[in-house]
Amino acid sequence: MDVSKCMWTKLVLAKPDCDYKSLLCKIADPTPRQAYIVDENYKLLGIVSAMDLLKEIIPSYMNADLARSLTDEADFLQKQVEKVKDKCARDIMVTKFAYLHPYHQLLEADALIAERGFNTLPVLDEQGKLLGEITRRNILLQLVDSCTAFNLNDKELVDLSLL
Amino acid sequence: MFWTATIIFLVAYALIISEKIHKTKVALFGAALVLMTKVLLQHEAFNDIDLGVDWNVIFLLISMMIIINIMTKTGVFQYVAIKCAKLAKGEPFRIMLLFAIITAVGSAFLDNVTTVLLLVPVTLFIADQLEINPIPYLITEALASNIGGTATLIGDPPNIMIASKAGLNFMDFIVHLTPAIIIIFLFWMLAWKVIFGKRLHVRDELKKRIMTLQEREQIKDPMLLKKSLIVLILTILGFMLHGFFHYEPATVALMGATTLLLISGEDPHSILAEVEWPTIFFFIGLFIIIGGIVKVGLVEDMSRAMIAVTNPQPENMTMLAMVMLWFSAVCSAVVDNIPFVATMNPLLIDMVHKVYGLAPGMATVEHIQHQAMMPVWWALALGACLGGNGSPIGASANVIVVGLSEKAGHKITFVQFLKYGLPVMLLTVFLSMIYIYVRYYLLKWY
C-alpha cells in the first residue's frame, strides 16, 4: 500500500520565525509529536520535536545526578525558559531528516521506522512540499485493519489514579 | 632503510600534527609500513625492549583506565566538587581555587581527560547557579589538570613513558616532581588571586543557591565507592613500594585493576569497552615507528646534533637540562607530547651512551640514572607536561574543555585560551627552570 493512502494530513505547521513559547504551545497538545517548519509554499525546511524543545531547556551539562542535587527545580526551569525565550524555530529545527514520498510502500516506511527508531516521518512531493506524515500509529492501525483477528474494541484504558 | 624509516617517521609526524587523519590510524599504518619494509622485524617490534613496543607503558595505561572507568561510575568527583563549592560558601574565587586543587589532585592520580570530563559539567552547573561566566573556571581546570598530572608517574602519559625508559619509580617522581608542582601551583594560584580575586563577584542570594545543593545525591553506589577507594589507595601504596619489591608499575596497576574488576560486580564487557583503545593502539603504532628510526640511526644523528648544541659533560649537563626543558615545552604546546616524548626518550638514551663513552646497548641503570642525567629526565617531564598549557591543542584536556564549553554555549576561542594558557605555560616552565637550577645545580640536592 502507498503511504499516501494512510498518512496523516492534519499537521502542526510553523514559520521559521515562530518563537519558542509558541512552538511549545503548538507541541504541548497531546496529539502532535512535532511541528513542521515550512516556507510560504509549504516546502519543508525543518522539524521541531518535543525532544528538541526539551533539549533547549536542559543545558548540555545537566545529567540526572546533577538535577537531583537541585532543591528548587521550578526556579531553575523558569530561568532556563527565560534564557531560550528569544530563540525561534529556525534556531532549533532539525534540518537533516529522513522522509518518504507518497508513492513509497508502507512496508518501506515500517522498515525505516523500525531500523532507525523514528517516531514519525514526513511525506514530501518531489519539490519538497510537505504532504503529510507517517507515524508508528499509522502503521499499527494499518496492521490492525489488515488482520481480521484483531478487534480494535479490545483496548481498555485503566485509570490508575482511581486504584 | 635509513630514508625509508625517516620518511615514514616524518610523514606520520606531519599527519599527526595536521590532525587531518586520526592519529591512531596514522600511527598504526606507519607501524605496518615499518614492518612491511622490514625496517624493523616483527620479532623486534613485539619483543625487543629497546626497539619495540613498551608493554610496561601499554599495560599501565590499560590498567589505570580500568580503575578509572569503574571509579567514575561512583559519582565521587561530582560529590567532592559540589561539597567544595559549599565549603567555599559560594565565593567565586574560592570555588575557582578549590576546583583547581581538585582537578590537579585528581589528574595526579587519575587520567587528565577523565578528570576534566567529570568536573566540567559540575563547573558549568555551579557557574549557572551563580550566574557567572564559566570560561575562566573551565580554562583554569584544563591548566590545573596538566599541571597536576605532571606531579606523579601515573599522572600523564609522558611521565609513564619516561619512567619506563629511564627505569624510574613512583617515589622518584614524588620526590623530584611533586615538590616542583606544589611550588608552581602555589605561584600560579597567587597570580590567579591577583587577576581574578577582585573581578569575580556574585550577589548573596546566588551564593545561597549553592548552599542549598545536595551533594549526597551525586553518590550513585556507596558500596562501589568504598571498594574503588580501597583499591585505589592500595594501588597507590603499591606504586610507592614497587621499587622496593622490584615490581614494574604495570604489575601493580594490573593487580589493582583486576582486583577492582573482580570485586566491583561490574560487567567486564562494558568496562573493557570503555578503555580508550584508540589511545592504546596509538602508543603501539608510535613505539614501532620510533623503533624504526632508532634502528636505522636517525635518533643517533639527532643525538649528535643535540650534543653539539648543548655540550653535555659526564658530570654536568646543565645546558642540556635547560634546553630540554624549554624545547619540550615549546614543542608540546604545538604538537602532541606523546610522540614528542616517544622520540626524546631514545634520543636521551643514545646521548647517555655517547657522553659516557659506552658501546651501543651497554648503558645500565647507573648510567641512565646518573646524577648528572637525572635533571635532564625531570626537565623532559616538566617541559612536555607543562608545555601542553601553551595552546588549546597542546593537551587532550584542553581540547575536551574547549569542546564541552562550546557545546554548553560558551565558545572559547583559540586566542582566548592563549591569553590564559600561554602566560601560565611560560610562568610554570620558568619556575621549573629555577627549580631545576636551584635544586640540582646550586644546592646539589639530587
Side-chain angles (χ1 to χ4, degrees), chain A residues 1-50:
Chain A
M1 178 189 278
D2 288 355
V3 294
S4 61
K5 303 246 169 40
C6 54
M7 66 188 183
W8 296 114
T9 52
K10 288 182 180 172
L11 309 180
V12 175
L13 305 184
K15 295 284 180 224
D17 55 2
C18 180
D19 65 29
Y20 185 89
K21 280 188 177 169
S22 306
L23 280 171
L24 200 58
C25 295
K26 280 174 185 280
I27 298 186
D29 185 272
T31 322
R33 290 179 178 277
Q34 50 194 29
Y36 292 95
I37 315 303
V38 292
D39 64 12
E40 57 278 6
N41 299 317
Y42 296 98
K43 187 179 173 187
L44 185 61
L45 302 174
I47 298 172
V48 174
S49 66

Side-chain angles (χ1 to χ4, degrees), chain A residues 60-61 65 69 71 79 83, chain B residues 128 209 212 214 218 220 408:
Chain A
S60 67
Y61 63 78
D65 301 311
S69 69
T71 47
K79 221 174 65 183
K83 274 186 191 171
Chain B
D128 219 4
R209 270 189 193 164
T212 62
Q214 295 177 337
Q218 300 304 306
K220 291 172 229 176

Side-chain angles (χ1 to χ4, degrees), chain A residues 59-63 65-72 75-76 79-80 83, chain B residues 82 121-122 124-125 128-129 131 209 212-214 217-218 220 404 407-408:
Chain A
S60 67
Y61 63 78
M62 184 60 85
N63 56 37
D65 301 311
L66 279 179
R68 270 200 304 275
S69 69
L70 278 169
T71 47
D72 189 357
D75 175 56
F76 180 80
K79 221 174 65 183
Q80 292 304 121
K83 274 186 191 171
Chain B
I82 294 180
V122 188
L124 286 163
F125 175 65
D128 219 4
Q129 293 296 302
E131 297 179 9
R209 270 189 193 164
T212 62
L213 296 176
Q214 295 177 337
E217 295 294 337
Q218 300 304 306
K220 291 172 229 176
L404 289 176
K407 200 174 159 198

Side-chain angles (χ1 to χ4, degrees), chain A:
Chain A
M1 178 189 278
D2 288 355
V3 294
S4 61
K5 303 246 169 40
C6 54
M7 66 188 183
W8 296 114
T9 52
K10 288 182 180 172
L11 309 180
V12 175
L13 305 184
K15 295 284 180 224
D17 55 2
C18 180
D19 65 29
Y20 185 89
K21 280 188 177 169
S22 306
L23 280 171
L24 200 58
C25 295
K26 280 174 185 280
I27 298 186
D29 185 272
T31 322
R33 290 179 178 277
Q34 50 194 29
Y36 292 95
I37 315 303
V38 292
D39 64 12
E40 57 278 6
N41 299 317
Y42 296 98
K43 187 179 173 187
L44 185 61
L45 302 174
I47 298 172
V48 174
S49 66
M51 179 63 89
D52 297 322
L53 292 180
L54 281 176
K55 274 193 210 163
E56 288 297 320
I57 296 181
I58 305 298
S60 67
Y61 63 78
M62 184 60 85
N63 56 37
D65 301 311
L66 279 179
R68 270 200 304 275
S69 69
L70 278 169
T71 47
D72 189 357
E73 65 173 34
D75 175 56
F76 180 80
L77 283 173
Q78 201 175 353
K79 221 174 65 183
Q80 292 304 121
V81 172
E82 273 304 299
K83 274 186 191 171
V84 297
K85 72 173 196 289
D86 294 330
K87 287 202 172 183
C88 56
R90 74 163 62 80
D91 305 319
I92 303 166
M93 68 186 185
V94 173
T95 52
K96 283 183 183 167
F97 44 81
Y99 56 87
L100 295 164
H101 287 305
Y103 52 79
H104 280 142
Q105 294 297 301
L106 198 63
L107 186 62
E108 190 177 341
D110 186 6
L112 201 57
I113 283 175
E115 250 175 52
R116 312 263 293 267
F118 297 127
N119 275 313
T120 310
L121 286 168
V123 181
L124 311 180
D125 70 8
E126 296 296 339
Q127 282 71 46
K129 184 181 170 187
L130 183 65
L131 302 174
E133 70 175 15
I134 287 286
T135 66
R136 289 179 183 178
R137 181 176 290 268
N138 287 129
I139 296 172
L140 287 176
L141 284 174
Q142 201 57 45
L143 190 66
V144 170
D145 280 349
S146 62
C147 301
T148 49
F150 297 149
N151 181 1
L152 264 181
N153 297 324
D154 279 350
K155 71 175 181 185
E156 186 186 348
L157 294 177
V158 178
D159 188 347
L160 295 174
S161 66
L162 300 176
L163 296 177

Side-chain angles (χ1 to χ4, degrees), chain B residues 335-410:
Chain B
V335 300
D336 194 337
N337 56 13
I338 293 167
F340 175 78
V341 171
T343 316
M344 285 298 118
N345 271 343
L347 187 144
L348 287 180
I349 295 289
D350 192 82
M351 286 182 77
V352 168
H353 284 91
K354 288 190 170 40
V355 172
Y356 295 105
L358 304 166
M362 295 308 289
T364 60
V365 174
E366 284 72 37
H367 295 112
I368 295 169
Q369 296 184 8
H370 190 280
Q371 81 175 24
M373 190 61 203
M374 290 307 289
V376 182
W377 291 114
W378 303 131
L380 174 61
L382 286 163
C385 297
L386 298 175
N389 279 337
S391 80
I393 53 162
S396 308
N398 307 358
V399 177
I400 297 287
V401 164
V402 170
L404 289 176
S405 182
E406 185 168 0
K407 200 174 159 198
H410 304 281

